[in-house]
Amino acid sequence: MKTLISTAKAFLYKKDFEWDKEITLQNFHPQLQIFLAINGVFFNNRESKIRDTFLTGQLLIWRLCWSWIVFVCFISVLYISNTLLYLLYQSTLATHDEHMIRPLIFPMWLPEDDPYRTPNYEIFMALEIILIYVVILTFGLYVYILFHLLLHYYNLMDMILIALEELFDGLDESVVALPREDPRRQAVQDELNIRMGQIVRWHQSVFDSVNDISSVYGPTLVYQVMFSSMVICLIAYQVAEQLSEGKIDYLFGILGIGGCLQLWIPCYIGTLLRNKGFFVGDRCFYCGWHKTPLSRLLRPDLIIFIQRTQRPVAIKFTALPHLQLETFSSIMSNAYSLFNMLRQYK
């Protein structure tokens, strides 16, 4: 058991990688092959401070993604195995009772028929098992890919913060007093333009990519936000009904945690992106421009960049409120209101 835990921990933390040597995009984080443009910038430039921060951030994304996949698979396997084990117990060890009802993964009711008689029971059991695997392959991977991409761009904004800190490092401040045509001043001006241009490109790529993610995942997010309050309410109602009968429905309790997590994850990351975007503007204002005369060569660029950072980085789509913790709080409040209504008028 200890060996298995050690192997899993080494896999998640990538302990077999030597950080000081050559690391490629493909062997460190295969899912990031869609971001091939950053391969040479963040992986192979071992002299940059950005590299270690970037790799640490990608390692965190790697661990969080696997944690989500393991959690979704655990819930699915738990539902199937719990039902099959109870069915096995009824078939082998339990005393025969003509009123004994065979369990389904999810309780069912039919208006004019019994879902637990043969062949209804076998059909519904097969359909529910198929439904669970469909959820794993679609919804589980959907949330995985969504917060994988969003966390990547959150990590990219950390790179922008480091680049802003190093904006004036290693440059000769005395060239400010030289004429504009002087080669030394031109060289420093070109270097500053290159550094600032890279920061602006990274910042703009965050906005473009978040807009692309919003356009692709927008319709799905609309339905997710619309129906999450209803789903969470029904799960809570099922748990409450079982508690009122003196039973603890731990399966629906775990499912309720998963239902809250699938909504909380994009909302929380949306809040992180928004706050980090504003923090980039603050960091640009306090990047040390007032301590060096080199800021005269870059003043218009800094002003424009600070103005651009006042635009929030937000996941938005038609009929969709911005995915932020405020949205999550509102949906949970609606779910609680529906839950109280059901309990009152049951």
Side-chain angles (χ1 to χ4, degrees), residues 91-147:
S91 304
T92 56
L93 302 178
T95 56
H96 180 70
D97 185 359
E98 61 180 3
H99 299 292
M100 182 178 294
I101 299 177
R102 293 176 293 180
L104 281 171
I105 299 176
F106 301 103
M108 292 196 62
W109 173 81
L110 293 177
E112 297 181 0
D113 198 357
D114 181 12
Y116 295 94
R117 70 171 180 85
T118 302
N120 289 353
Y121 176 82
E122 288 77 7
I123 294 174
F124 288 133
M125 175 65 79
L127 290 177
E128 288 183 356
I129 292 176
I130 293 173
L131 175 64
I132 286 179
Y133 281 108
V134 169
V135 169
I136 294 176
L137 295 176
T138 55
F139 194 78
L141 290 178
Y142 149 72
V143 176
Y144 161 81
I145 295 174
L146 178 63
F147 83 81

Side-chain angles (χ1 to χ4, degrees), residues 56-74:
T56 303
Q58 296 305 320
L59 181 59
L60 176 63
I61 295 174
W62 165 272
R63 293 186 344 235
L64 289 176
C65 289
W66 272 103
S67 300
W68 171 254
I69 290 178
V70 170
F71 176 73
V72 172
C73 293
F74 170 74

Side-chain angles (χ1 to χ4, degrees), residues 43-272:
F43 279 81
N44 298 329
N45 188 5
R46 291 190 292 275
E47 298 179 357
S48 174
K49 296 180 183 178
I50 292 178
R51 180 176 183 268
D52 288 343
T53 304
F54 179 80
L55 293 179
T56 303
Q58 296 305 320
L59 181 59
L60 176 63
I61 295 174
W62 165 272
R63 293 186 344 235
L64 289 176
C65 289
W66 272 103
S67 300
W68 171 254
I69 290 178
V70 170
F71 176 73
V72 172
C73 293
F74 170 74
I75 294 179
S76 303
V77 172
L78 192 62
Y79 263 87
I80 295 175
S81 60
N82 181 79
T83 305
L84 294 181
L85 287 175
Y86 188 66
L87 184 62
L88 181 63
Y89 168 77
Q90 282 187 342
S91 304
T92 56
L93 302 178
T95 56
H96 180 70
D97 185 359
E98 61 180 3
H99 299 292
M100 182 178 294
I101 299 177
R102 293 176 293 180
L104 281 171
I105 299 176
F106 301 103
M108 292 196 62
W109 173 81
L110 293 177
E112 297 181 0
D113 198 357
D114 181 12
Y116 295 94
R117 70 171 180 85
T118 302
N120 289 353
Y121 176 82
E122 288 77 7
I123 294 174
F124 288 133
M125 175 65 79
L127 290 177
E128 288 183 356
I129 292 176
I130 293 173
L131 175 64
I132 286 179
Y133 281 108
V134 169
V135 169
I136 294 176
L137 295 176
T138 55
F139 194 78
L141 290 178
Y142 149 72
V143 176
Y144 161 81
I145 295 174
L146 178 63
F147 83 81
H148 180 285
L149 296 175
L150 295 177
L151 281 177
H152 167 74
Y153 287 104
Y154 176 80
N155 191 30
L156 182 57
M157 283 199 280
D158 285 332
M159 308 301 105
I160 297 174
L161 296 177
I162 297 176
L164 286 171
E165 290 180 355
E166 300 176 345
L167 185 58
F168 300 107
D169 290 354
L171 299 179
D172 186 6
E173 299 179 355
S174 62
V175 300
V176 177
L178 299 175
R180 292 188 177 183
E181 297 78 13
D182 190 279
R184 290 173 54 201
R185 174 167 174 156
Q186 284 292 336
V188 172
Q189 180 73 66
D190 292 342
E191 180 62 25
L192 282 174
N193 291 339
I194 291 173
R195 295 182 183 183
M196 196 65 201
Q198 183 66 72
I199 292 172
V200 171
R201 283 193 296 272
W202 288 348
H203 189 253
Q204 185 60 40
S205 71
V206 173
F207 278 97
D208 293 340
S209 300
V210 171
N211 288 336
D212 291 341
I213 292 171
S214 300
S215 63
V216 173
Y217 286 96
T220 309
L221 288 170
V222 170
Y223 286 105
Q224 181 180 356
V225 171
M226 286 175 57
F227 293 106
S228 285
S229 58
M230 186 181 302
V231 171
I232 294 172
C233 164
L234 293 176
I235 293 174
Y237 181 77
Q238 171 69 15
V239 174
E241 286 295 297
Q242 292 295 316
L243 285 175
S244 64
E245 298 176 5
K247 302 176 183 178
I248 299 178
D249 196 335
Y250 67 94
L251 287 177
F252 267 87
I254 296 176
L255 185 63
I257 294 174
C260 294
L261 277 178
Q262 57 84 26
L263 180 65
W264 178 81
I265 286 173
C267 290
Y268 179 67
I269 298 177
T271 302
L272 288 179

